[in-house]
């Protein structure tokens, strides 16, 4: 069974999807981490992110491994390194690159082959897994999303103002909705869940209800 969770930045997709997968006993697929990984690898290699040929080369040459909440590139754990504000604000180069997206979509489908997975991102229900058995669109008010991301960054010791996070998020939202490939769109058969005012546990409880009902054919 494939469960897709799409939605805008800061909606809490990764944490909710990870916990949902744990409860269900499914594999968790963090597709956003894959684009971050390509971005990190390119910057580490001194590649200019606007250089499309080099960015595509990086995407095809590195070995990305996802193990629960951990992310590794060529055997090196980069879980924390790919979550910095620097990587967050630069990932759009990889996300907007048709060649990079083609490669990562291929990897995502290979991981899901014959497995039970919960996968989260921007285009999981619309592009990567259009025939998924259960599709969820997770969203929240833009300020609430920015506050969540700001708190995450503070916990990691990054000194970034809430206003800066909100401004960058608005740019990212606009880019995600208008990008030529893999744009953020709600699938027509997705169930929309607004997380405003909900605790993380309440969000996962709601998602689990949706999946369990779908498993029963309701």
């Amino acid at each position: 069974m494939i469960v897709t969770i799409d939605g805008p930045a800061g909606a809490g997709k990764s944490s909710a999807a990870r916990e949902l997968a744990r409860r269900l006993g499914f594999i968790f697929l963090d597709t956003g981490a894959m684009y971050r990984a390509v971005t990190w690898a390119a910057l580490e290699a001194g590649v200019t992110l606007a250089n499309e040929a080099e960015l595509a080369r990086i995407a095809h040459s590195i070995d990305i491994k996802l193990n629960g909440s951990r992310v590794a590139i060529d055997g090196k754990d980069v879980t924390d390194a790919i979550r910095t504000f620097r990587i967050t604000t630069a990932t759009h180069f990889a996300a907007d690159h048709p060649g990079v997206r083609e490669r990562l979509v291929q990897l995502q489908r290979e991981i899901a082959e014959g497995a039970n997975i919960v996968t989260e991102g921007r285009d999981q229900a619309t592009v990567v897994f259009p025939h998924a058995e259960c599709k969820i669109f997770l969203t929240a008010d833009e300020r609430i999303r920015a506050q969540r991301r700001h708190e995450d960054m503070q916990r990691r010791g990054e000194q970034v103002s809430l206003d800066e996070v909100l401004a960058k998020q608005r740019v990212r939202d606009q880019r995600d909705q208008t990008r030529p490939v893999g744009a953020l769109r709600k699938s027509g058969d997705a169930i929309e869940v607004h997380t405003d005012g909900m605790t993380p546990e309440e969000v996962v409880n709601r998602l689990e209800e949706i999946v369990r009902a779908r498993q029963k054919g309701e």
Side-chain angles (χ1 to χ4, degrees):
M1 182 180 190
I2 296 176
V3 178
T4 62
I5 301 179
D6 292 315
K13 300 187 301 300
S14 292
S15 56
R18 183 178 294 109
E19 174 59 17
L20 177 63
R22 187 194 67 79
R23 290 190 190 183
L24 297 170
F26 284 18
I27 294 170
F28 167 56
L29 178 55
D30 182 355
T31 65
M34 300 174 79
Y35 290 97
R36 289 170 177 271
V38 172
T39 303
W40 181 88
L43 291 174
E44 284 293 295
V47 169
T48 300
L49 295 180
N51 186 328
E52 295 188 358
E54 281 297 290
L55 195 56
R57 181 186 63 79
I58 290 290
H60 282 81
S61 65
I62 62 175
D63 178 44
I64 303 172
K65 285 289 189 294
L66 305 180
N67 183 12
S69 61
R70 311 307 296 178
V71 182
I73 298 175
D74 297 332
K76 176 183 175 63
D77 191 306
V78 295
T79 305
D80 295 328
I82 66 171
R83 297 292 177 186
T84 63
F85 193 59
R86 171 176 174 247
I87 299 301
T88 296
T89 55
T91 300
H92 65 91
F93 286 99
D96 289 345
H97 192 303
V100 173
R101 293 202 76 91
E102 181 180 9
R103 172 59 178 156
L104 296 188
V105 166
Q106 176 190 8
L107 290 177
Q108 290 156 23
R109 288 173 175 164
E110 288 176 1
I111 292 170
E113 184 68 29
N116 292 315
I117 71 163
V118 175
T119 178
E120 67 88 8
R122 303 282 184 277
D123 62 350
Q124 296 301 286
T126 54
V127 175
V128 187
F129 303 109
H131 303 300
E133 292 86 349
C134 185
K135 301 178 181 180
I136 297 168
F137 190 85
L138 201 66
T139 189
D141 175 79
E142 68 166 16
R143 182 160 289 275
I144 289 175
R145 292 189 284 118
Q147 287 173 340
R148 290 172 179 166
R149 185 153 295 239
H150 183 242
E151 290 169 0
D152 285 343
M153 291 178 173
Q154 286 186 316
R155 281 193 290 269
R156 291 196 297 269
E158 293 192 68
Q159 300 304 312
V160 182
S161 71
L162 175 59
D163 285 343
E164 185 176 0
V165 173
L166 180 58
K168 293 285 188 181
Q169 178 181 275
R170 284 172 174 163
V171 171
R172 186 175 176 183
D173 283 349
Q174 176 65 18
R175 183 183 297 121
D176 284 345
Q177 293 166 10
T178 58
R179 63 169 41 122
V181 289
L184 172 63
R185 295 189 182 90
K186 177 189 171 187
S187 176
D189 54 350
I191 298 173
E192 187 164 331
V193 177
H194 287 264
T195 63
D196 298 8
M198 298 175 70
T199 66
E201 183 176 7
E202 288 171 339
V203 172
V204 179
N205 288 343
R206 175 61 184 136
L207 301 186
E208 186 177 7
E209 286 176 3
I210 293 170
V211 177
R212 297 292 187 193
R214 190 57 54 89
Q215 286 178 318
K216 294 175 183 177
E218 298 177 5

